């Protein structure tokens, strides 16, 4: 939760305002280049008669394969037609054909996708079936059949190709509508009394718009490619100049004049690439604005971190029985606005056999601190620490392979979300056995026996069954037990648990805390328990370190911290707990008549 | 498992039947007059009528379709209106050519896109940009243009590989491999680009997943992390894209065969299509759609094998 | 302003759910439908907060959605002012948007990221036919009520923190002066200190406007803070109801006892006692039933 991964955009519907998207798009040099190119190409097609005096269909045997000259700036083709004229007029055919195909695809795909995604039911079933059917047929084959049936007409072929592309649009629209429909803000709109057409217009269409534009850009490219392919095969309107038919002619003369291939080939590749790159740039612009959808806190946090770092008192650094000593840890991330510090000089100590609570609100840097000890920060993180001494050895600056000798073996990790932390594609047993075999060098059979024993130890009633299960087949509480079993499998000295019970129900949380406590005592492990919950701290921790905005504000033994918190921030946090708040008294017997009158008065008193 | 397979095969048969029916209707109900083309413009009315009767074109559409269907079920796809050659026989001759280049292209796409996609996701930087560039190029340059360039540059100018012709596998394995290399390579460029981008995207997502961090926390080797865990989880999405790309490969074969002068089903389709040779067109359509169906079922099986949720549920 | 109080039925509380059953079709072929609510009855008076507590899968959120018309009621009824509102058509349901509103749990997905705060807040008003200028005036007033700065209106939801977003969601719920607000875990995604402030805002609004809350949460201490009465759910049924003080300090039903003892107290000494007591209760129950991992199932079985 607290990891500031800039790319992690969990919300599919993170859509920027439209004006913002356009501005962002125009900031990308690639997009601007593509747009300029496409405008120029369109203009060339539009004003073809002005740019050349030659008739693209006029054949002349004397000009067959003519070299470049004043009359034929790009020479003549196999039957003496002017290459430049054909190139310019061919632009019209290509663009118009592609536009037609895309228009057909959108006209069919968008409404069908909207209706299927929003209302589901039978229409969804039928239209999805049809879409799958259409997608399974090679387009060229269909077009061959259609052309042989209805005659050689490029535009009819492109209209049919539009039908063949419509399933792509349909699927995209349908999928986006379904994902938006599940968003809570659509539920909220419904509760606000919005009718379906209005919900679709206000909340669904804006989300669908951007991907549709991206898809349209790519379909335009695809349309041009398919069209030229058909014309290359000699299909399509014979009297119409087109890039594909130029390539067909060039192919016939490939050994005598290969240069004929270059003009239509380049025109084709540049146009299609421009559409493709424009689509990509649009997507990037869209993603770029979604990135910003995370919680903005940067500046204030950074200032606070720098100010507080030196004042943090640290009672036990250098204690003799210290298992882990961390001094002056700094973690920062590069962002568009410059370096953003999330941990600014944190020091802490964990003794052997001690549970240290690392407490703070979101953005305090507590999880980042824990990951830094494990060497598990995302690769864009910049970490610098004065010292990171584990069991007398300096770990700061170790490479990945050297760190792997400690990770899992001597320092272990229990994550927050049980379900997302098991590899969904592997059986639970194989995930647990792998590190055991690697670190302890056990045989397959020994590792299996040890793992089954562990599963039993963490309170799983039927270890054999869980061993052979996939993660999606077990409950969240059980998954957390599995993860704890995995963490302690190689008898580590230090266990780092990042909010290990936050995702669990309270009754399961209590059992999991019991389990961690008993394992910790049994093996005399040091534990760093990252949490935001003072109840959990009171339950299991021996000592507490409180963090705020990337810095340690207070460290104390647990009873002392609760009895006499010294830092104002700790006092504020403790006073926010609701445990000792007075329960609200009942409203008296809920006699509706009296309530109705009191409500009436309340309503008059309320703000207009 | 068996139920799944039976269901998929049934759905595939329905697909083939629907497409065949539509094609037959399109060919049979539209205005073009194949008989006139076959017998020539100078033929007499009697000659036309006789040819029509010979081809069964004097019967009703439904009767003709019923006839074709019952023959087809028994493995007889009729014979060409123009050459008189048996469709089943000529397809059997030409299928190996098309199958060779299409399957080789599929294999190339699967292997190269995995290598490129994984490398781009892990190394990032220049390699990543190369894959992105390749993706744009693969999208922008149609396979027949690639084929033309390959044929001219590698086939003719450099003379490294044959630019035309097909050598059957039975004649010479080396010759076969050489004769299909350029066609398969040019056919697969687009599919490699599209699939590599998907592999890269899913790998980046998977490597960011919580469970990868947890696996890393247990100190397992980077190699096992990448190739055992991450790739396995990235594969299903890539497979879906590859299955879609395969449909494009089958269509692309039509054009590529022309460039390399290969006598496969694709070039047969072009000829028959422009002549309006219904039995041949029907044969080609049925075989190509069946090919797509078979490969898609195989991909579905692989998908199920990779994704335990589908398998168990 | 909008609520009509002409036909008051004095015999019944403001909002009543009577033996409500909610079923969803199962995925498998010919499997019986999945029953999320197994006949649940609750009543909320005007100006009252009913806290609905339970663990995941207890059906508490589904009950809230059934009241909002977002979950299909298979049998039983939901009544508002004596009128049956479950199973209404979309159009009739929309008419209720004046009276019944919602605040969802996740402040990051409950606001449309592409709309400015003013758009978000004025949408329900414009639907009800308020003029643009009137709506803008009302939006300023709403922002003030939830303690957001007046210039917040032009900004997008993503520019706000979780707590501020939840204030926006509350303002949206209040925009048409509803009589009932369904609050679905509205503070569980928030930081501790933010949580307390947002809860205080809920209480303050209720005291000023007399709105009733159906407050769904998993957290006993939250429920104690905000509720007048509490209903405890487990396995799609209500196992205990009563006034907040009693249910959250001296519960009668074993499941509620377990829930209470499992919630850790932020005080090491008292938590040690609570833990010991929990172990005692667990041992006593283990003596009765042999299963140790799925006590929840056994407690719901105890009822009947």
């Amino acid at each position: 939760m607290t990891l500031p991964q800039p790319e992690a955009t969990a919300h599919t519907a993170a859509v920027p305002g439209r004006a913002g998207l356009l501005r962002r798009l125009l900031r990308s040099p690639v997009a601007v280049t593509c747009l300029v190119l496409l405008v120029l190409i369109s203009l060339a097609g539009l004003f073809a008669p002005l740019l050349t005096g030659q008739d693209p269909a006029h054949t002349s045997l004397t000009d067959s394969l003519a070299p470049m000259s004043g009359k034929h700036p790009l020479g003549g083709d196999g039957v003496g037609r002017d290459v430049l004229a054909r190139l310019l007029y061919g632009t019209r055919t290509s663009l118009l054909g592609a536009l037609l195909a895309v228009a057909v695809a959108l006209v069919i795909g968008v409404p069908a996708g909207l209706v299927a995604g929003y209302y589901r039911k039978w229409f969804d079933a039928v239209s999805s079936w049809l879409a799958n059917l259409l997608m399974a047929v090679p387009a060229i084959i269909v077009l061959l059949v259609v052309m042989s049936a209805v005659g050689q007409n490029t535009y009819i072929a492109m209209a049919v190709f539009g039908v063949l592309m419509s399933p792509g649009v349909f699927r995209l629209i349908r999928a986006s509508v379904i994902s938006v429909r599940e968003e809570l803000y659509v539920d909220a709109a419904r509760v606000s009394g919005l009718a379906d057409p209005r919900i679709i217009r206000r909340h669904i269409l804006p989300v669908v718009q951007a991907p549709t534009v991206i898809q349209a850009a790519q379909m335009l490219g695809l349309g041009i490619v398919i069209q030229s392919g058909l014309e290359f095969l000699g299909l399509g309107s014979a009297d119409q100049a087109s890039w594909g038919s130029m390539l067909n002619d060039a192919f016939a003369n490939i050994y005598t004049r290969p240069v004929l291939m270059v003009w239509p080939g380049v025109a084709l590749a540049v146009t299609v690439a421009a559409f493709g790159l424009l689509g990509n740039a649009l997507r990037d612009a869209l993603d770029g604005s979604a990135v910003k959808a995370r919680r903005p806190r940067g500046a204030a946090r950074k200032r606070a971190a720098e100010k507080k770092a030196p004042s943090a008192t640290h009672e036990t650094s250098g204690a003799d029985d210290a298992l882990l000593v961390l001094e002056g840890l700094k973690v920062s991330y590069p962002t568009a606005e410059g370096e953003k510090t999330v941990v600014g000089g944190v020091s802490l100590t964990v003794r052997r056999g001690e549970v240290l609570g690392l407490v703070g609100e979101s953005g305090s840097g507590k999880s980042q601190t824990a990951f830094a000890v494990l060497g598990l920060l995302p690769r864009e993180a910049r970490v610098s620490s004065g010292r990171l001494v584990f069991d007398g050895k300096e770990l700061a600056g170790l490479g990945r392979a050297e760190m792997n000798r400690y990770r899992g073996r001597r320092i272990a990790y229990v994550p927050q979300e049980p379900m997302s932390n098991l590899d969904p594609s592997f059986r639970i047993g194989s995930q647990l056995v792998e590190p055991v075999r690697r670190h302890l060098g056990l045989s397959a059979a020994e590792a299996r026996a040890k793992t089954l024993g562990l599963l039993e130890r963490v309170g799983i009633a039927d270890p054999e069954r869980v061993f052979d299960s996939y993660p999606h087949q077990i409950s969240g509480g059980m998954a957390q037990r599995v993860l704890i079993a995995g963490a302690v499998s190689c008898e580590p000295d230090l266990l780092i648990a990042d909010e290990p019970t936050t995702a669990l129900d309270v009754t399961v949380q209590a059992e999991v805390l019991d389990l961690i406590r008993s394992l910790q005592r049994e093996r005399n492990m040091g534990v760093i328990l990252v949490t935001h919950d003072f109840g959990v701290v009171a339950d299991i921790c021996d000592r507490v370190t409180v963090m705020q905005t990337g810095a340690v504000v207070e460290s104390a033994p647990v009873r002392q911290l609760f009895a006499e918190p010294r830092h104002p921030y700790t006092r504020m946090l403790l006073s926010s707990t609701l445990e000792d708040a007075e329960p609200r008294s009942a409203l008296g017997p809920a006699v509706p008549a009296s309530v109705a009158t009191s409500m009436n008065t309340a309503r008059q008193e309320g703000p207009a | 498992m068996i139920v799944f397979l039976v269901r998929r095969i049934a759905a595939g048969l329905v697909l083939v039947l629907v497409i065949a029916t539509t094609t037959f209707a399109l060919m049979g109900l539209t205005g073009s007059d194949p008989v006139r083309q076959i017998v020539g413009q100078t033929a007499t009315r009697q000659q036309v009528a006789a040819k029509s009767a010979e081809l069964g074109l004097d019967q009703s559409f439904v009767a003709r379709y019923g006839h074709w269907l019952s023959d087809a079920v028994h493995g007889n796809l009729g014979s060409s209106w123009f050459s008189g050659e048996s469709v089943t026989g000529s397809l059997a001759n030409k299928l190996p050519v098309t199958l060779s280049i299409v399957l080789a292209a599929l294999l190339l796409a699967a292997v190269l896109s995995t290598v490129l996609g994984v490398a781009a996701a892990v190394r990032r930087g220049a390699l990543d940009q190369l894959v992105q560039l390749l993706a744009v190029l693969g999208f922008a340059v149609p396979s027949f243009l690639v084929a033309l360039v390959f044929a001219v540059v590698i086939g003719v100018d450099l003379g490294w590989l044959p630019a035309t012709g097909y050598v059957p596998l039975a004649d010479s394995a080396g010759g076969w491999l050489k004769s299909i290399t350029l066609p398969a390579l040019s056919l697969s460029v687009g599919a490699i680009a599209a699939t590599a981008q998907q592999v890269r995207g899913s790998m980046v997502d998977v490597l960011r997943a919580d469970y990868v961090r947890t696996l890393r926390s247990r100190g397992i080797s980077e190699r096992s992390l990448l190739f055992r865990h991450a790739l396995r989880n990235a594969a299903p999405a890539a497979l879906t894209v590859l299955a879609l790309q395969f449909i494009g490969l089958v269509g692309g074969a039509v054009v590529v065969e022309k460039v390399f002068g290969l006598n496969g089903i694709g070039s047969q389709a072009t000829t028959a299509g422009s002549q309006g040779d219904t039995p041949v067109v029907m044969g080609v359509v049925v075989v190509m759609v069946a090919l797509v169906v078979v490969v898609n079922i195989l991909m579905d099986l692989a998908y199920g094998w990779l994704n335990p949720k589908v398998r168990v549920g | 302003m909008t609520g009509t109080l002409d036909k008051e039925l004095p015999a019944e509380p403001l909002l009543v759910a009577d033996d409500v059953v909610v079923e969803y079709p199962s995925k498998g072929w010919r499997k019986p439908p999945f029953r999320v609510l197994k006949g649940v009855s609750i009543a909320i008076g005007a100006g009252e907060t009913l806290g609905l507590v339970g663990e995941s899968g207890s059906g508490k959120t589904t009950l809230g959605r059934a009241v909002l018309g977002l979950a299909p009621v298979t049998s039983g009824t939901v009544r508002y002012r004596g009128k049956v509102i479950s199973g209404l058509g979309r159009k009739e349901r929309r008419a209720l948007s004046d009276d019944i509103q919602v605040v969802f749990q996740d402040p990051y997905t409950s606001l449309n990221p592409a709309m400015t705060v003013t758009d978000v807040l004025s949408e329900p008003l414009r639907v009800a036919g308020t003029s643009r200028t009137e709506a803008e005036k009302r939006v300023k007033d709403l922002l003030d009520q939830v303690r957001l700065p007046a210039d917040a209106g032009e900004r997008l939801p993503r520019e706000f923190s979780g707590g501020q977003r939840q204030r926006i969601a509350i303002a949206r719920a209040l925009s048409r002066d509803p009589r009932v607000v369904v609050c679905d875990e509205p503070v569980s995604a928030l930081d501790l200190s933010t949580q307390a402030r947002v809860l205080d805002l809920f209480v303050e609004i209720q005291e000023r406007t007399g709105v009733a809350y159906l407050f769904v949460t998993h957290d006993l201490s939250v429920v104690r803070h905000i509720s007048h009465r509490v209903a405890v759910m487990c396995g799609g049924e209500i196992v205990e109801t009563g006034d907040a003080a009693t249910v959250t300090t001296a519960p009668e039903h074993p499941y509620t006892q377990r829930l209470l003892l499992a919630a850790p107290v932020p005080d090491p000494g008292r938590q040690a006692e609570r833990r010991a007591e929990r172990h005692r209760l667990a041992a006593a129950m283990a003596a009765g039933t042999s299963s140790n991992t799925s006590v929840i199932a056994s407690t719901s079985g105890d009822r009947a």
Side-chain angles (χ1 to χ4, degrees), chain B residues 12-29 55-74 76-78 81 278-279 281-283 285-286:
Chain B
L13 285 177
V14 170
L15 177 71
V16 174
L17 191 69
V18 170
I19 301 292
T21 312
T22 318
T23 309
F24 202 90
L26 264 174
M27 301 292 294
L29 296 177
L55 299 178
L57 284 174
D58 50 349
Q59 297 166 21
S60 76
F61 169 75
V62 177
R64 276 185 285 150
Y65 180 62
H67 214 81
W68 178 85
L69 193 63
S70 74
D71 279 354
V73 170
H74 294 97
N76 174 13
L77 291 168
W81 287 349
T278 304
V281 170
M282 291 300 296
V285 167
V286 166

Side-chain angles (χ1 to χ4, degrees), chain A residues 56-67 72 74-84 86 245-261 263-264:
Chain A
H58 177 74
T59 59
S60 138
L61 281 181
T62 50
D63 289 332
S64 171
L65 299 180
H72 299 299
L74 295 180
D77 72 358
V79 289
R81 292 171 297 195
D82 182 64
V83 170
L84 179 66
R86 291 184 66 72
S245 58
M246 292 177 77
L247 283 166
N248 187 354
D249 177 76
F251 179 55
N253 301 295
I254 196 160
Y255 298 114
T256 44
R257 184 135 317 177
V259 71
L260 282 177
M261 222 172 70
W263 314 118

Side-chain angles (χ1 to χ4, degrees), chain A residues 206-528:
Chain A
V207 176
V208 167
Q209 235 164 24
T212 311
V213 172
I214 295 169
Q215 176 112 341
Q218 281 166 345
M219 287 192 306
L220 281 170
L222 205 61
I224 293 175
V225 166
I226 283 282
Q227 187 190 339
S228 62
L230 284 176
E231 289 155 349
F232 175 72
L233 288 175
L235 305 164
S237 316
D239 50 344
Q240 227 165 20
S242 68
W243 295 343
S245 58
M246 292 177 77
L247 283 166
N248 187 354
D249 177 76
F251 179 55
N253 301 295
I254 196 160
Y255 298 114
T256 44
R257 184 135 317 177
V259 71
L260 282 177
M261 222 172 70
V262 172
W263 314 118
V266 168
L268 188 62
V270 167
T271 312
V272 178
F275 279 124
L277 284 171
L278 189 64
N280 285 355
L282 270 166
R283 185 188 346 240
D284 290 348
L286 200 66
D287 288 352
S289 30
V291 166
K292 293 276 177 281
R294 301 311 293 179
R295 315 170 186 203
R297 284 202 191 134
R301 173 191 303 180
K302 188 174 178 182
R303 222 179 320 113
E306 278 162 3
K307 202 174 71 217
K308 265 162 212 152
S311 70
T313 51
H314 197 60
E315 2 93 87
T316 52
S317 72
D320 288 342
D321 51 353
L323 179 63
L324 179 84
V325 178
L326 181 65
E327 273 177 18
L329 173 78
K330 284 187 179 146
V331 180
S332 63
Y333 287 88
T335 66
E337 296 94 43
E339 197 98 333
K340 180 173 147 193
T341 305
V342 293
V343 177
V346 161
S347 304
L348 51 84
T349 308
V350 187
R351 297 185 201 125
R352 218 172 273 280
E354 165 190 79
V355 181
L356 173 74
L358 198 54
V359 193
E361 296 190 299
S362 57
S364 61
K366 56 190 192 301
S367 293
Q368 293 288 304
T369 304
F371 286 133
V373 173
L374 285 155
L376 287 180
L377 289 168
R379 75 166 95 190
E380 43 307 349
R382 297 193 189 138
V383 189
S384 68
S385 68
R387 287 202 318 147
L388 171 56
V389 180
F390 171 74
D391 197 19
K393 280 174 216 75
E394 179 65 54
L395 296 191
L398 282 192
R400 218 174 229 180
E402 292 155 310
M403 210 39 212
N404 271 348
R405 285 212 301 274
Y406 288 90
R407 275 201 294 247
R409 177 74 187 84
R410 307 209 45 205
I411 308 179
Y413 163 65
V414 177
Q416 172 174 2
E417 285 284 340
M419 291 318 274
S420 67
N421 276 289
L422 287 166
D423 185 338
S425 299
F426 287 84
R427 290 179 198 276
I428 284 163
S430 87
Q431 299 187 42
L432 294 181
V433 160
E434 190 176 354
V436 171
R437 293 197 61 186
R438 182 180 158 89
H439 289 302
L440 307 181
L442 300 184
S443 72
E446 289 166 339
R448 182 186 158 90
K450 182 175 171 70
T451 304
L452 285 172
L454 271 169
L455 287 176
E456 199 170 355
R457 170 66 189 85
V458 296
I460 286 172
D462 189 355
E464 299 265 354
R465 192 181 61 79
V466 170
F467 189 93
D468 288 324
S469 298
Y470 284 98
H472 70 273
Q473 295 170 314
I474 64 173
S475 71
M478 207 181 273
Q480 193 59 297
R481 289 170 194 273
V482 167
L483 284 161
I484 291 172
V488 301
S489 60
C490 300
E491 275 134 45
D493 304 289
L494 177 64
L495 184 71
I496 298 181
D498 180 24
E499 304 259 12
T501 58
T502 307
L504 306 175
D505 278 328
V506 267
T507 47
V508 185
Q509 161 172 297
E511 291 164 10
V512 167
L513 287 176
D514 282 349
L515 173 64
I516 292 178
R517 184 186 3 261
S518 74
L519 283 168
Q520 182 262 334
R521 291 202 180 139
E522 178 183 299
R523 296 160 190 229
N524 198 30
M525 283 187 295
V527 175
I528 298 179

Side-chain angles (χ1 to χ4, degrees), chain B residues 36-37 39-44:
Chain B
R36 193 35 91 177
Q37 274 193 45
V39 294
Q41 293 301 327
T42 54
T44 62

Side-chain angles (χ1 to χ4, degrees), chain A residues 3 5 7 129 133 135-138 140-141 144-146 148-150 218 221-222 225 228-229 232-235 247-248 251 254-255 261 265 268-269 272-273 276-277 280 371 376 379 400 404 407-408 411 413 415 417 420-427 430-432 434-435 438-439 470 472-473 483 486-487, chain B residues 14-15 18-19 23 26-27 30-32 121-124 136 139-142 144-145 148-149 152 156 163-164 197 208 210-211 213-222 224 228-229 232-233 244 247 250-251 254-255 258-259 266 269-270 272-274 276 281 284-285 288-289 292 296 306 308-309 311-312:
Chain A
L3 258 186
Q5 288 183 323
E7 302 92 335
W129 183 80
L133 189 112
M135 285 182 99
V137 195
I140 283 237
I141 301 291
L144 277 177
V145 170
V146 170
S148 79
V150 302
Q218 281 166 345
L222 205 61
V225 166
S228 62
F232 175 72
L233 288 175
L235 305 164
L247 283 166
N248 187 354
F251 179 55
I254 196 160
Y255 298 114
M261 222 172 70
L268 188 62
V272 178
L277 284 171
N280 285 355
F371 286 133
L376 287 180
R379 75 166 95 190
R400 218 174 229 180
N404 271 348
R407 275 201 294 247
I411 308 179
Y413 163 65
E417 285 284 340
S420 67
N421 276 289
L422 287 166
D423 185 338
S425 299
F426 287 84
R427 290 179 198 276
S430 87
Q431 299 187 42
L432 294 181
E434 190 176 354
R438 182 180 158 89
H439 289 302
Y470 284 98
H472 70 273
Q473 295 170 314
L483 284 161
Chain B
V14 170
L15 177 71
V18 170
I19 301 292
T23 309
L26 264 174
M27 301 292 294
T30 46
S32 63
V122 175
R123 293 255 171 268
R124 302 289 183 91
V136 172
F139 171 74
V141 186
F144 68 91
L145 207 54
L148 280 174
V149 173
V152 171
V156 179
T164 52
Q197 215 180 14
R208 220 182 270 148
D210 285 350
Y211 59 83
R213 184 169 59 205
T214 300
L215 287 168
R216 205 166 256 152
S217 82
R218 304 222 179 104
I220 69 167
S221 73
E222 203 64 15
S224 163
R228 215 168 99 88
H229 293 277
R232 171 80 178 260
N233 283 288
L244 277 177
I247 299 168
V250 172
V254 175
V255 195
K258 173 175 165 141
V259 174
T270 319
S274 55
V281 170
V284 169
V285 167
M288 287 213 164
V289 174
V292 169
N296 272 344
L306 284 167
K309 273 186 209 172
R311 199 180 338 155
V312 179

Side-chain angles (χ1 to χ4, degrees), chain A residues 94-251:
Chain A
S94 293
L95 290 183
L96 281 179
L99 277 175
L100 177 68
V102 170
V104 170
L106 291 179
V107 164
I108 299 174
V110 172
L114 277 177
V115 173
Y118 194 78
Y119 293 103
R120 313 298 295 271
K121 305 269 169 69
W122 66 269
F123 183 84
D124 187 27
V126 171
S127 51
S128 295
W129 183 80
L130 265 176
N132 286 341
L133 189 112
L134 276 179
M135 285 182 99
V137 195
I140 283 237
I141 301 291
V142 176
L143 293 175
L144 277 177
V145 170
V146 170
M147 298 261 257
S148 79
V150 302
Q152 313 269 312
N153 183 314
T154 304
Y155 291 129
I156 291 183
M158 291 317 285
V160 173
F161 185 59
V163 176
L164 294 176
M165 285 198 296
S166 64
V169 180
F170 167 81
R171 282 184 161 194
L172 175 78
I173 301 277
R174 177 179 170 276
S176 342
V177 172
I178 289 174
S179 78
V180 184
R181 226 178 69 114
E182 306 289 313
E183 294 284 339
L184 287 175
Y185 64 79
V186 173
D187 279 343
R190 198 164 292 150
V191 175
S192 293
L194 267 70
D196 285 343
R198 197 172 177 134
I199 292 180
I200 292 180
R201 202 176 66 235
R202 297 266 298 179
H203 295 281
I204 308 242
L205 274 183
V207 176
V208 167
Q209 235 164 24
T212 311
V213 172
I214 295 169
Q215 176 112 341
Q218 281 166 345
M219 287 192 306
L220 281 170
L222 205 61
I224 293 175
V225 166
I226 283 282
Q227 187 190 339
S228 62
L230 284 176
E231 289 155 349
F232 175 72
L233 288 175
L235 305 164
S237 316
D239 50 344
Q240 227 165 20
S242 68
W243 295 343
S245 58
M246 292 177 77
L247 283 166
N248 187 354
D249 177 76
F251 179 55

Side-chain angles (χ1 to χ4, degrees), chain B:
Chain B
M1 185 65 201
I2 301 287
V3 176
F4 169 79
L5 206 58
V6 169
R7 246 207 235 143
R8 286 292 285 126
I9 291 173
L13 285 177
V14 170
L15 177 71
V16 174
L17 191 69
V18 170
I19 301 292
T21 312
T22 318
T23 309
F24 202 90
L26 264 174
M27 301 292 294
L29 296 177
T30 46
S32 63
D33 184 4
V35 179
R36 193 35 91 177
Q37 274 193 45
I38 300 166
V39 294
Q41 293 301 327
T42 54
T44 62
R45 196 178 291 265
Q46 280 95 338
Q47 283 173 303
V48 172
K51 192 72 187 175
S52 276
E54 184 196 327
L55 299 178
L57 284 174
D58 50 349
Q59 297 166 21
S60 76
F61 169 75
V62 177
R64 276 185 285 150
Y65 180 62
H67 214 81
W68 178 85
L69 193 63
S70 74
D71 279 354
V73 170
H74 294 97
N76 174 13
L77 291 168
S79 36
S80 165
W81 287 349
F82 287 80
S83 67
E85 208 182 338
S86 146
V87 174
T88 319
S90 77
L91 283 176
N93 281 333
K94 289 167 181 178
L95 190 60
V97 182
T98 307
L99 219 49
S100 297
I101 62 167
V102 168
L103 292 183
L106 181 66
L107 189 70
L108 272 175
V111 173
L112 288 182
S113 65
T114 307
V115 172
L116 285 172
V118 170
V122 175
R123 293 255 171 268
R124 302 289 183 91
L127 198 66
D128 197 8
Q129 270 159 11
L130 185 77
V131 169
Q132 305 282 1
L133 183 74
L134 185 84
V136 172
L137 282 180
F139 171 74
V141 186
S143 54
F144 68 91
L145 207 54
V146 180
L148 280 174
V149 173
F150 279 3
V152 171
V153 177
I154 303 179
V156 179
D157 289 354
L158 298 171
W160 290 348
L161 288 163
T164 52
Y166 173 76
V167 179
L169 181 59
D171 291 3
S172 145
W176 171 79
L177 199 61
K178 274 186 191 162
S179 70
I180 65 160
T181 302
L182 282 185
L185 202 59
S186 37
L187 188 57
S188 66
V189 169
I192 293 173
T195 317
Q197 215 180 14
Q198 176 62 52
V199 171
R200 176 198 171 273
S202 341
M203 277 299 279
V204 167
D205 285 349
V206 170
L207 286 176
R208 220 182 270 148
D210 285 350
Y211 59 83
V212 169
R213 184 169 59 205
T214 300
L215 287 168
R216 205 166 256 152
S217 82
R218 304 222 179 104
I220 69 167
S221 73
E222 203 64 15
R223 204 185 44 189
S224 163
L225 199 67
L226 272 185
F227 294 101
R228 215 168 99 88
H229 293 277
L231 190 56
R232 171 80 178 260
N233 283 288
L239 207 59
T240 308
V241 170
L242 196 62
L244 277 177
Q245 289 295 322
F246 179 72
I247 299 168
L249 289 183
V250 172
V254 175
V255 195
V256 168
E257 281 176 13
K258 173 175 165 141
V259 174
F260 291 99
L262 300 173
N263 194 10
I265 292 182
S267 47
Q268 194 177 18
T270 319
T271 325
S274 55
Q275 288 172 330
D277 193 343
T278 304
V280 180
V281 170
M282 291 300 296
V284 169
V285 167
V286 166
V287 167
M288 287 213 164
V289 174
L291 183 61
V292 169
V293 166
V294 169
V295 170
N296 272 344
I297 290 178
L298 291 178
M299 296 241 187
D300 273 356
L301 287 177
Y303 189 95
W305 176 72
L306 284 167
N307 190 341
K309 273 186 209 172
V310 177
R311 199 180 338 155
V312 179

